[in-house]
Amino acid sequence: MPGKPAGTLYVVATPIGNLDDISARALRILADVALIAAEDTRHSARLLQHFGIATPLQACHEHNEREQGGRFIGRLQAGEDVALISDAGTPLISDPGYHLVRQARAAGIRVVPVPGACALIAALSAAGLPSDRFIFEGFLPARMAARRARLELLREEPRTLIFYEAPHRILECIEDLQVIFGAERQAVLGRELTKAFETLKGLPLGELCAWVAADSNQQRGECVLLVAGWEAPEGDAQVSTEALRVLDLLLAEMPLKRAAALAAEISGVRKNLLYQAALERQGDA
Ligand code: SAM
């Protein structure tokens, strides 16, 4: 006789502040599953209690996720549905869950996302910075030298950059952004999103730094930092070193015109600037 079909692992987003942001579907799934795998069971117990949900919770955090994953997989293979939640927002986004999701998929378990709040998307949606292309860098290194080294690598990134940061490091983080990206680069600080003291402040980095330094309230609560991507100055002499590196790699493999077009697509630098740079590099200009 065939066994019971395997259950489903639901990856459920929970609010990042305002409890009304949980979806009706999330509530239904949290109430219906056999078990909820939670980053912090005490924290999530309060959320479930608020919504009158009595589903049992089991810990699934960064310290036990790899080892305990098997327990959850066992329950799923036995035919039970399991929901994965983190303390706030979308699991796996700077939160635990990656190992469990990987293990579940490797075991042939169906994994279903139940989308909802996510601080980086909430911030981006209201920041007024280009949102067609962006990169999420999570948390920067805590130490200044390592943080500045990481930022150096991102200095000529053309897409909008998004960082999470702890409140006690927000000022030194903005100071380092200003040092590496320049005081004129536009930035937005999203703080306490969806909560009573929600702030979305957009200023050039130099001014944002002074504004946060002058008001200790801005150094409290949960923060997302968004920084406008690098814009190539006019003139081919200022094509970024990264764009030129890409161009050189492509020139070794394909005709000039195609290489310039592809390098433009990859780097975001204008095609005619790269075409001109390619001609100069091949000594034809
Ligand atoms: N999984 C979460 C998500 O989907 O956004 C992120 C979890 S991560 C451990 C926590 C960080 O997210 C905070 O340090 C802060 O940078 C950001 N964050 C979470 N809630 C926020 C809020 N309400 N306003 C601003 N940033 C928030």
Side-chain angles (χ1 to χ4, degrees):
M1 217 172 82
K4 210 173 162 195
T8 298
L9 175 62
Y10 293 97
V11 183
V12 181
T14 57
I16 56 168
N18 189 326
L19 294 184
D20 288 349
D21 287 339
I22 198 156
S23 74
R25 181 171 172 232
L27 288 176
R28 182 172 51 73
I29 286 168
L30 291 175
D32 286 353
V33 293
L35 177 70
I36 298 174
E39 181 182 6
D40 176 341
T41 52
R42 283 208 322 216
H43 177 96
S44 294
R46 288 194 291 275
L47 178 81
L48 296 185
Q49 197 181 12
H50 176 87
F51 290 109
I53 293 172
T55 309
L57 288 158
Q58 254 178 46
C60 177
H61 45 69
E62 58 175 331
H63 303 295
N64 76 352
E65 191 189 338
R66 269 180 230 236
E67 300 72 36
Q68 295 300 312
R71 272 194 3 224
F72 296 113
I73 303 293
R75 301 278 299 256
L76 286 154
Q77 282 171 330
E80 291 182 311
D81 290 336
V82 175
L84 168 68
I85 60 175
S86 62
D87 287 355
T90 302
L92 280 81
I93 307 302
S94 293
D95 264 344
Y98 166 71
H99 297 289
L100 179 59
V101 166
R102 258 189 89 89
Q103 287 174 21
R105 291 182 63 88
I109 306 281
R110 185 165 166 243
V111 181
V112 170
V114 183
C118 179
L120 78 103
I121 298 296
L124 182 66
S125 72
L129 292 176
S131 54
D132 48 347
R133 296 174 79 210
F134 62 90
I135 60 163
F136 173 55
E137 279 287 315
F139 289 91
L140 284 164
R143 288 173 173 274
M144 185 201 273
R147 186 165 58 226
R148 289 191 175 187
R150 173 80 57 82
L151 291 176
E152 275 292 351
L153 296 174
L154 295 167
R155 188 212 301 262
E156 291 181 353
E157 168 57 58
R159 294 167 289 186
T160 296
L161 300 115
I162 308 176
F163 304 94
Y164 282 167
E165 192 48 279
H168 62 279
R169 270 197 293 271
I170 192 68
L171 185 55
E172 48 186 284
C173 175
I174 300 175
E175 280 166 0
D176 285 353
L177 284 165
Q178 181 190 346
V179 169
I180 308 293
F181 293 173
E184 302 309 317
R185 185 89 73 96
Q186 196 64 30
V188 175
L189 171 64
R191 209 178 56 81
E192 293 288 88
L193 298 175
T194 78
K195 305 186 203 178
F197 295 103
E198 179 178 85
T199 309
L200 265 166
K201 187 74 172 173
L203 283 172
L205 278 167
E207 289 175 45
L208 187 65
C209 196
W211 185 76
V212 171
D215 181 358
S216 59
N217 283 328
Q218 304 307 329
Q219 299 163 41
R220 300 203 180 100
E222 302 201 87
C223 317
V224 190
L225 260 172
L226 302 94
V227 183
W230 181 78
E231 272 181 48
E234 289 302 305
D236 68 2
Q238 287 106 353
V239 172
S240 73
T241 46
E242 179 57 18
L244 290 174
R245 194 181 70 81
V246 171
L247 179 65
D248 285 337
L249 287 172
L250 296 174
L251 278 172
E253 303 293 331
M254 60 189 73
L256 184 146
K257 211 169 162 189
R258 178 94 189 104
L262 255 186
E265 209 160 294
I266 292 167
S267 66
V269 174
R270 286 217 314 273
K271 193 162 69 183
N272 60 348
L273 291 178
L274 284 165
Y275 184 70
Q276 196 57 36
L279 285 175
E280 281 169 16
R281 290 169 117 64
Q282 296 203 337
D284 295 338

